[in-house]
Amino acid sequence: DGGITQSPKYLFRKEGQNVTLSCEQNLNHDAMYWYRQDPGQGLRLIYYSQIVNDFQKGDIAEGYSVSREKKESFPLTVTSAQKNPTAFYLCASSRMGQGGEKLFFGSGTQLSVL
Amino acid sequence: SQQGEEDPQALSIQEGENATMNCSYKTSINNLQWYRQNSGRGLVHLILIRSNEREKHSGRLRVTLDTSKKSSSLLITASRAADTASYFCATDVEGAQKLVFGQGTRLTINP
């Protein structure tokens, strides 16, 4: 099955801890994205990558970091600098890194603070 | 504030009725997309309408775009319980290489 796989589905973070959310795609898409969704809200862009070894900050990048060493993978690290990390995190990909492309989404990771 | 804003924020109708959701945006766009999200899941792409198109259909879905009013509407005809979800519009803003999502409309279809 082609698609995007996010793991884990649920994640708990302790105070001062960094945690990493995994996102893998086998759609051969060039572009990948991370969004944050708070309850009852829309999606806000954290980081995006249009090509391997390159990525750009989105609207709310502070407290987050990413890497894009492989085309298939775009992990997101929520650092201890992110003071309000509790949210639903969604990874997406598109064929090319342009706004006119439709996005394919993973099933999300719910991050909570202990 | 968000580029796209949906209206209403929540909508509850009886099965079989039609559901209409609206999206307004602020700046010029290249295209507008609609997505559906079931509770606790990722978003699923429904339809894309380009700025030079006025109406588009896909099955029971009908999308209109009025660039002069900077607004779009999504109509779901003959609604079913399985249509219960949140619906988001997303705009491809001219000059930006990303989609900007609205806050969504929560649609509930009552059997």
Side-chain angles (χ1 to χ4, degrees), chain A:
Chain A
D1 273 344
I4 300 181
T5 302
Q6 287 187 242
S7 63
K9 188 167 178 60
Y10 300 97
L11 187 58
F12 297 91
R13 193 191 89 166
K14 294 180 181 178
E15 198 75 32
Q17 185 182 41
N18 293 353
V19 292
T20 297
L21 284 61
S22 171
C23 179
E24 303 276 332
Q25 55 100 357
N26 61 4
L27 298 168
N28 200 33
H29 284 173
D30 284 330
M32 297 187 75
Y33 310 81
W34 274 106
Y35 288 91
R36 169 178 172 142
Q37 186 178 31
D38 292 282
Q41 300 297 310
L43 279 64
R44 292 184 290 169
L45 183 63
I46 305 172
Y47 268 99
Y48 63 104
S49 168
Q50 297 178 315
I51 197 168
V52 176
N53 291 322
D54 188 39
F55 50 83
Q56 287 79 40
K57 293 182 180 180
D59 301 315
I60 55 165
E62 187 174 349
Y64 301 97
S65 66
V66 294
S67 63
R68 185 86 187 277
E69 297 176 1
K70 298 186 300 181
K71 188 175 186 178
E72 306 79 34
S73 179
F74 192 40
L76 173 73
T77 296
V78 183
T79 74
S80 56
Q82 173 48 248
K83 298 305 179 189
N84 183 23
T86 296
F88 190 54
Y89 290 86
L90 285 160
C91 179
S93 71
S94 64
R95 190 170 57 92
M96 294 187 296
Q98 298 173 8
E101 297 281 324
K102 72 177 186 179
L103 300 184
F104 293 78
F105 282 85
S107 55
T109 293
Q110 175 64 52
L111 175 62
S112 302
V113 176
L114 289 176

Side-chain angles (χ1 to χ4, degrees), chain A residues 37 41 50 59 99-100 103 106, chain B residues 31 35 37 42 97-98 103:
Chain A
Q37 186 178 31
Q41 300 297 310
Q50 297 178 315
D59 301 315
L103 300 184
Chain B
N31 65 67
Y35 288 81
Q37 182 182 33
Q97 292 185 328
K98 58 181 182 179
Q103 295 187 324

Side-chain angles (χ1 to χ4, degrees), chain B residues 25-39:
Chain B
Y25 57 91
K26 295 181 172 64
T27 59
S28 295
I29 61 172
N30 295 315
N31 65 67
L32 185 146
Q33 302 182 37
W34 285 91
Y35 288 81
R36 184 188 73 223
Q37 182 182 33
N38 290 90
S39 182

